[in-house]
Amino acid sequence: FRAIAERSVLPDYSKDGGEVSVTPALATTWETGEADQERIDVESDAERIAALKPLGVSWIVLKAADKTGFDCPYTNAAVKVCRLP
C-alpha cells in the first residue's frame, strides 16, 4: 500500500529500520523522522505542530486516550486520526 498510495509517510521504526540497514544513505532522514515523532503521544498540540509541520505532516495517528484539540474525524477504541491545523 505505501508504494502505491502516492503520499508521504514519516519513517516507522518497525517497518523502515530494516531498510536503513540495507540502504545506509537513508539513515539520516530516517533518524530525523524518528526523533521528530518520538514523543508525539505526550507532546502538546503546539509541540506537535512545531515538530511535524516543517516535515509536511498534515495528519497524525494518536492513541485514543491521547489529549488533543485537533479535529479527529476517525476514532475507535485504540486510535484516533487527526488533522493538524
Side-chain angles (χ1 to χ4, degrees):
F1 174 79
R2 290 173 85 186
I4 60 171
E6 296 184 10
R7 60 188 171 107
S8 61
V9 177
L10 289 179
D12 180 295
Y13 180 81
S14 65
K15 294 180 184 80
D16 301 319
E19 182 59 33
V20 169
S21 68
V22 176
T23 313
L26 297 174
T28 301
T29 302
W30 178 80
E31 187 175 30
T32 299
E34 279 291 309
D36 288 335
Q37 60 186 316
E38 183 177 20
R39 298 180 36 81
I40 198 168
D41 58 335
V42 296
E43 291 177 329
S44 69
D45 285 348
E47 291 169 321
R48 291 175 180 134
I49 291 168
L52 300 174
K53 273 293 192 175
L55 301 174
V57 174
S58 55
W59 291 88
I60 59 173
V61 178
L62 297 170
K63 295 174 194 157
D66 291 348
K67 305 275 188 229
T68 185
F70 297 155
D71 174 37
C72 303
Y74 177 81
T75 302
N76 67 21
V79 299
K80 53 188 161 193
V81 179
C82 307
R83 181 189 306 266
L84 271 67

